[in-house]
Amino acid sequence: MDLTERQKEILLAVIHEFMEEPEEVGSLSLVEKYNLGVSSATIRNEMVKLMRLGLLEKSHVSSGRLPTDQAIRFYVSEVLNNGKLNPLISVEIRQGIFRDRFSKDTVINSILEIVSKESESLVFIILDEEVRYYGMSNILKYDEFKDVDKITTIFDILEDKSFLLNLVEKYSGSGVSLLIGKELCIEKMCDCAIAFTKIPFWDTEKAYVGIIGSKRMDYSKIIPVLDEVRNSLESSMAGWN
């Protein structure tokens, strides 16, 4: 998508504010917080153009804007595509998987705990039709998950033996796959996101590790973490019986 540098700066500023608080962002707050070098009137005009491009939207009568799912995907692909994992986190993941590689259950628990801690989100592992998960309490810190119906929906997804597997199989690609907001096609999950990747796991035919969280999740950390888990499992497979 062709955007001017000014439009990119404004869009990224709106997304940054949204990632901090899920509230509409106005031009005045952008002028106050960011050195964009233009007036609030100019920012408003650019916001209108970004709305026409499907990157910003309004949900209330205020003059503020919210980034769309398309905008967040643009943010992930354009800005975070080359995200690097903290070397200390990488070592922790690799050592944990390699140390426990001869015990399936221990490896599963190690992955769930490490990824949950680093992503601050809910983590799941699918082994054929078995689903294991950890970190439900992590997502409760987000305002989006203070709705009981939404939490119930997440439990329903996790406890359905085939739904989650069918979902990730349908949308799985090379590397880490993302479903953001309405892309999930799940009622009451429009402000959520799922990131996942296929992994090798002993003789399991269909194995995935993934994260369920707010679409305001820290993609710059989550994507490299899942990449590292997959790569670590691949390199450790030679030691498994």
Side-chain angles (χ1 to χ4, degrees), residues 1 3 7 44-57 65 68 70:
M1 182 176 294
L3 298 177
Q7 288 172 339
R44 284 196 297 273
N45 289 336
E46 294 289 10
M47 282 180 160
V48 170
K49 294 176 184 177
L50 290 168
M51 284 187 70
R52 291 172 183 160
L53 291 171
L55 296 171
L56 294 180
E57 63 184 357
R65 304 291 191 276
T68 63
Q70 183 182 357

Side-chain angles (χ1 to χ4, degrees), residues 9-61:
E9 288 181 359
I10 292 172
L11 180 61
L12 291 176
V14 172
I15 292 174
H16 182 269
E17 288 296 296
F18 175 73
M19 291 299 187
E20 295 295 325
E21 294 290 340
E23 298 177 355
E24 293 187 341
V25 182
S27 58
L28 289 176
S29 65
L30 294 182
V31 169
E32 292 172 359
K33 291 179 142 183
Y34 298 88
N35 184 25
L36 296 172
V38 293
S39 67
S40 60
T42 299
I43 292 176
R44 284 196 297 273
N45 289 336
E46 294 289 10
M47 282 180 160
V48 170
K49 294 176 184 177
L50 290 168
M51 284 187 70
R52 291 172 183 160
L53 291 171
L55 296 171
L56 294 180
E57 63 184 357
K58 290 181 65 172
S59 62
H60 300 96
V61 294

Side-chain angles (χ1 to χ4, degrees), residues 33-133:
K33 291 179 142 183
Y34 298 88
N35 184 25
L36 296 172
V38 293
S39 67
S40 60
T42 299
I43 292 176
R44 284 196 297 273
N45 289 336
E46 294 289 10
M47 282 180 160
V48 170
K49 294 176 184 177
L50 290 168
M51 284 187 70
R52 291 172 183 160
L53 291 171
L55 296 171
L56 294 180
E57 63 184 357
K58 290 181 65 172
S59 62
H60 300 96
V61 294
S62 73
S63 59
R65 304 291 191 276
L66 292 169
T68 63
D69 297 343
Q70 183 182 357
I72 295 176
R73 182 164 288 283
F74 172 81
Y75 169 71
V76 172
S77 61
E78 295 292 322
V79 180
L80 304 177
N81 200 33
N82 296 316
K84 300 295 182 183
L85 190 60
N86 183 316
L88 294 177
I89 299 173
S90 178
V91 168
E92 181 182 11
I93 292 172
R94 286 183 175 273
Q95 287 185 341
I97 290 175
F98 187 79
R99 180 186 63 241
D100 302 324
R101 67 193 185 281
F102 296 110
S103 168
K104 293 182 181 181
D105 281 339
T106 306
V107 168
I108 291 171
N109 291 334
S110 179
I111 292 171
L112 289 174
E113 290 178 10
I114 292 173
V115 176
S116 175
K117 181 184 72 173
E118 298 303 336
S119 68
E120 299 181 319
S121 293
L122 171 65
V123 181
F124 64 85
I125 289 180
I126 301 173
L127 303 174
D128 291 329
E129 289 195 355
E130 177 192 5
V131 179
R132 302 267 291 271
Y133 59 91

Side-chain angles (χ1 to χ4, degrees), residues 19 72 119-124 134-136 138-145 150-151 154 157-158 164 178-181 184 188-196 210-219 222 226:
M19 291 299 187
I72 295 176
S119 68
E120 299 181 319
S121 293
L122 171 65
V123 181
F124 64 85
Y134 184 81
M136 179 64 77
N138 283 339
I139 62 177
L140 297 179
K141 69 178 183 178
Y142 291 99
D143 291 340
E144 297 92 312
F145 294 101
K150 189 169 297 179
I151 295 297
I154 292 175
I157 291 170
L158 293 170
L164 193 56
L178 280 173
L179 293 173
I180 301 171
L184 287 165
K188 299 176 182 176
M189 295 280 283
C190 291
D191 47 9
C192 304
I194 295 180
F196 58 91
I211 293 167
I212 299 176
S214 166
K215 66 180 181 182
R216 299 188 294 121
M217 67 171 67
D218 187 353
Y219 299 98
I222 283 169
L226 291 177

